[in-house]
Amino acid sequence: AQKITQTQPGMFVQEKEAVTLDCTYDTSDQSYGLFWYKQPSSGEMIFLIYQGSYDEQNATEGRYSLNFQKARKSANLVISASQLGDSAMYFCAMREGLDSSYKLIFGSGTRLLVRP
Amino acid sequence: GAVVSQHPSWVICKSGTSVKIECRSLDFQATTMFWYRQFPKQSLMLMATSNEGSKATYEQGVEKDKFLINHASLTLSTLTVTSAHPEDSSFYICSVPGSGDNEQFFGPGTRLTVL
């Protein structure tokens, strides 16, 4: 059975500073995908970044980077130069298998608050 | 990426009534769609996988007779909450997998309130 763990229910960060949101996962599959989503108060799910289990380089998308440590089964999200608009819920998710038609399972989420 | 719509965006109904929520993939054909439920301040919980032309696959603990899923075409899946009760009040979100392995397109969600 797959499992996603986010141990930080809430985080504060000062505007313009970097912040790391933790995510660990558990799977016996060799092929899997890891996702991070942002959910503002509106409820929409905004895709941030993706890492495939066979990707050797850490994924980066603008101010977002994913610190992928396969042996530790961790996939932490790093947000650089935080902005006030980054305040939201952040969810880590995993899909066993690399086919996009496979289901996503989500972690419990981290609420990030950016202080001015 | 694909555009996914949900209708209605919010609905208030009386206890005991049934509510139908639509999920449409506007520019992408989807043989599979996913339905999630999110209670306030909680995570998204997968309810079921909607399969075009066949029965949905429900997650453990989800009552298939209460949450009826129909995926009659490649662009539309519906979730019907039958005999809704206040504990069914939640945010329901659908998603459509894309062609790329990093693609999963979410609808804007439907907020259901059962009085």
Side-chain angles (χ1 to χ4, degrees):
Chain A
Q2 55 179 333
K3 185 178 176 182
I4 293 279
T5 303
Q6 294 180 253
T7 58
Q8 307 153 312
M11 289 279 287
F12 289 97
V13 65
Q14 203 66 33
E15 191 179 10
K16 299 181 184 177
E17 293 186 349
V19 63
T20 298
L21 306 184
D22 295 341
C23 173
T24 57
Y25 60 93
D26 185 24
T27 180
S28 54
D29 265 27
Q30 297 300 310
S31 301
Y32 51 89
L34 297 158
F35 300 73
W36 277 93
Y37 286 88
K38 171 184 178 182
Q39 187 181 43
S41 56
S42 62
E44 63 178 314
M45 296 294 287
I46 301 170
F47 167 75
L48 297 178
I49 199 164
Y50 168 82
Q51 181 89 37
S53 58
Y54 295 114
D55 296 339
E56 295 185 353
Q57 300 288 328
N58 285 344
T60 59
E61 292 283 349
R63 294 188 298 112
Y64 305 106
S65 60
L66 198 152
N67 186 357
F68 182 43
Q69 308 230 347
K70 197 170 182 177
R72 293 185 176 182
K73 293 189 175 178
S74 74
N76 299 339
L77 176 70
V78 180
I79 305 175
S80 62
S82 296
Q83 301 172 356
L84 296 179
D86 293 336
S87 293
M89 281 292 291
Y90 288 80
F91 292 101
C92 180
M94 180 172 71
R95 181 191 63 221
E96 283 184 335
L98 296 176
D99 192 315
S100 64
S101 66
Y102 293 179
K103 60 189 180 184
L104 283 184
I105 301 298
F106 286 82
S108 55
T110 296
R111 181 169 298 280
L112 177 67
L113 184 61
V114 181
R115 290 169 166 156
Chain B
V3 177
V4 180
S5 70
Q6 283 185 238
H7 178 81
S9 55
W10 58 270
V11 56
I12 301 173
C13 69
K14 292 183 179 180
S15 186
T17 60
S18 294
V19 175
K20 180 185 284 188
I21 302 170
E22 294 183 348
C23 176
R24 290 185 185 273
S25 176
L26 299 182
D27 56 356
F28 190 83
Q29 293 188 327
T31 55
T32 300
M33 294 183 180
F34 300 103
W35 285 97
Y36 293 86
R37 179 168 57 181
Q38 185 179 29
F39 291 111
K41 301 188 187 303
Q42 294 189 25
S43 185
L44 280 74
M45 298 299 295
L46 180 67
M47 300 176 68
T49 302
S50 175
N51 304 301
E52 188 267 334
S54 64
K55 291 181 179 180
T57 305
Y58 289 83
E59 295 299 301
Q60 192 172 9
V62 177
E63 300 174 60
K64 61 181 67 175
D65 293 332
K66 179 166 184 64
F67 299 101
L68 301 179
I69 290 174
N70 185 282
H71 193 151
S73 76
L74 289 172
T75 59
L76 173 65
S77 174
T78 60
L79 168 67
T80 301
V81 183
T82 62
S83 186
H85 288 92
E87 57 266 29
D88 299 323
S89 298
S90 188
F91 192 55
Y92 292 87
I93 310 175
C94 68
S95 74
V96 175
S99 56
D101 56 9
N102 65 336
E103 294 181 337
Q104 189 76 217
F105 305 108
F106 284 84
T110 296
R111 193 164 300 282
L112 170 64
T113 301
V114 185
L115 302 177

